[in-house]
Amino acid sequence: MDHAADAHRTDLMTITRFVLNEQSKYPESRGDFTILLNHIVLGCKFVCSAVNKAGLAKLIGLAGETNVQGEEQKKLDVLSNEVFIKALVSSGRTCILVSEEDEEATFVEPSKRGRYCVVFDPLDGSSNIDCAVSIGTIFGIYTVKDYHEPTLADVLQPGKHMLAAGYCMYGSSCTLVLSTGGGVNGFTLDPSLGEFILTHPDIKIPKKGKIYSVNEGNAKNWDGPTTKYVEKCKFPKDGSSSKSLRYIGSMVADVHRTLLYGGIFLYPADKKSPNGKLRVLYEVFPMSFLMEQAGGQAFTGKQRALDLVPTKIHERSPIFLGSYDDVEEIKALYAAEGKE
């Protein structure tokens, strides 16, 4: 037995301890934010457990059928949504919730209100569940001006006003990546403890990457700059080697790989989706926030992604995010097109 390794393992930085340490840097803090994050973490653990059982549940005839109590078994994305709504409302620290699954924003009843807005996609990439590809939860947190009288304007803020953002990926391991505005940290769920442990402290994206990630099936509908950029990735004119293409089709998994290995993730606007496909509030903003915090960039084709001011809660936007130098290249192509 390696007693030294075991002794080392006893000093675990759990996500709870990490967030409490961060809180202690702000003497005026009341711990509201810490409580809210703990409820988000609980939601992630629940969904992780549900995702891991999804195949089995189907195997024994649960999904979509009626159980003994006469309740219909819920699809995973609907179940995940309910779990997060209940976890966030019960924290007593939220006043508005915006979910990808709900057409309207949820205004928390006055007795349970707090000063935070949470925007989230409870299960991103859920079409990949049946083939066991990584999926995840994405979330962003804002503060409201007056939580006694919250309005939709409190949520329709640019991403640069976000207080924190993160995602939890349910894959070969359950990984939670979080930024509260002072860098990016990654935690992995230790199933034997039921705790998220800090495994990726202070994540920094490489300045330039060797990977590009895009759905090339849409290539015939792309605009000029995207077409030129992808062409350049495959057939570089400066004698450098081509980039590798990696595309999972699950935003959380593609962004996670981009964050750790570097490179660029693109979901451009095209003729079919002139405003892009990804939603601003709970996909584009949180991921752009994390990228910038890790030293990368995020660009919409027109502006810095976090400067975008949304007008609707389910608004969409094109997005190019990843390594600083790679995003600079696509920005230069858009700038050149603008001059023509």
Side-chain angles (χ1 to χ4, degrees), residues 262-314:
I264 188 166
F265 169 83
L266 319 89
Y267 211 117
D270 58 31
K271 291 181 192 126
K272 270 193 315 186
S273 316
N275 296 323
K277 193 101 179 276
L278 297 173
R279 268 68 53 112
V280 172
L281 274 182
Y282 40 80
E283 289 175 327
V284 171
F285 279 170
M287 294 311 201
S288 301
F289 185 90
L290 291 166
M291 276 298 162
E292 286 199 4
Q293 286 291 324
Q297 290 195 80
F299 178 64
T300 65
K302 292 187 175 128
Q303 64 188 126
R304 173 190 176 209
L306 293 180
D307 287 341
L308 193 67
V309 182
T311 53
K312 299 194 295 285
I313 60 172
H314 297 297

Side-chain angles (χ1 to χ4, degrees), residues 40-303:
I40 290 175
V41 166
L42 180 64
C44 292
K45 287 178 186 172
F46 186 98
V47 174
C48 177
S49 162
V51 166
N52 286 340
K53 291 182 201 146
L56 285 171
K58 196 167 182 185
L59 202 64
I60 52 178
L62 292 178
E65 292 185 12
T66 308
N67 66 12
V68 213
Q69 286 83 28
E71 300 167 334
E72 195 180 317
Q73 292 297 318
K74 297 192 174 71
K75 279 204 150 76
L76 260 179
D77 42 6
V78 179
L79 177 75
S80 308
N81 188 43
E82 285 189 11
V83 165
F84 275 101
I85 296 269
K86 285 179 176 150
L88 292 165
V89 170
S90 68
S91 73
R93 301 297 182 276
T94 58
C95 56
I96 313 174
L97 310 175
V98 172
S99 166
E100 191 264 346
E101 291 287 322
D102 298 326
E103 217 166 301
E104 303 290 331
T106 302
F107 285 86
V108 179
E109 58 181 277
S111 64
K112 292 184 175 158
R113 270 182 203 161
R115 57 196 175 125
Y116 298 108
C117 295
V118 184
V119 292
F120 62 100
D121 186 344
L123 207 55
D124 186 73
S126 50
S127 58
N128 285 316
I129 293 169
D130 289 343
C131 59
V133 166
S134 297
I135 50 185
T137 300
I138 310 172
F139 61 90
I141 303 171
Y142 288 107
T143 27
V144 291
K145 291 187 183 75
D146 176 11
Y147 67 84
H148 300 295
E149 298 290 333
T151 65
L152 220 45
D154 288 311
V155 184
L156 298 172
Q157 300 186 54
K160 62 184 174 191
H161 292 165
M162 263 184 183
L163 196 65
Y167 60 80
C168 187
M169 184 174 74
Y170 315 109
S172 52
S173 59
C174 180
T175 313
L176 196 149
V177 174
L178 174 71
S179 174
T180 54
V184 182
N185 290 281
F187 303 82
T188 305
L189 185 64
D190 181 336
S192 62
L193 296 171
E195 283 282 9
F196 279 102
I197 309 296
L198 179 64
T199 49
H200 297 73
D202 198 19
I203 298 170
K204 289 278 178 255
I205 185 170
K207 197 156 185 305
K208 194 170 174 58
K210 296 179 180 151
I211 296 171
Y212 73 104
S213 184
V214 64
N215 181 353
E216 291 226 32
N218 294 331
K220 70 170 185 173
N221 295 317
W222 287 344
D223 62 11
T226 303
T227 308
K228 280 181 193 153
Y229 182 77
V230 172
E231 190 70 8
K232 199 171 159 190
C233 289
K234 295 195 274 198
F235 306 103
K237 303 256 192 317
D238 58 2
S240 59
S241 48
S242 319
K243 289 190 191 296
S244 296
L245 168 67
R246 296 281 183 273
Y247 187 70
I248 299 162
S250 179
M251 190 193 191
V252 173
D254 279 315
V255 169
H256 187 65
R257 182 202 55 249
T258 306
L259 196 58
L260 296 183
Y261 298 168
I264 188 166
F265 169 83
L266 319 89
Y267 211 117
D270 58 31
K271 291 181 192 126
K272 270 193 315 186
S273 316
N275 296 323
K277 193 101 179 276
L278 297 173
R279 268 68 53 112
V280 172
L281 274 182
Y282 40 80
E283 289 175 327
V284 171
F285 279 170
M287 294 311 201
S288 301
F289 185 90
L290 291 166
M291 276 298 162
E292 286 199 4
Q293 286 291 324
Q297 290 195 80
F299 178 64
T300 65
K302 292 187 175 128
Q303 64 188 126

Side-chain angles (χ1 to χ4, degrees), residues 319-333:
I319 186 66
F320 305 86
L321 51 78
S323 293
Y324 194 93
D325 291 355
D326 294 330
V327 179
E328 273 301 306
E329 280 184 39
I330 195 104
K331 280 163 78 173
L333 288 167

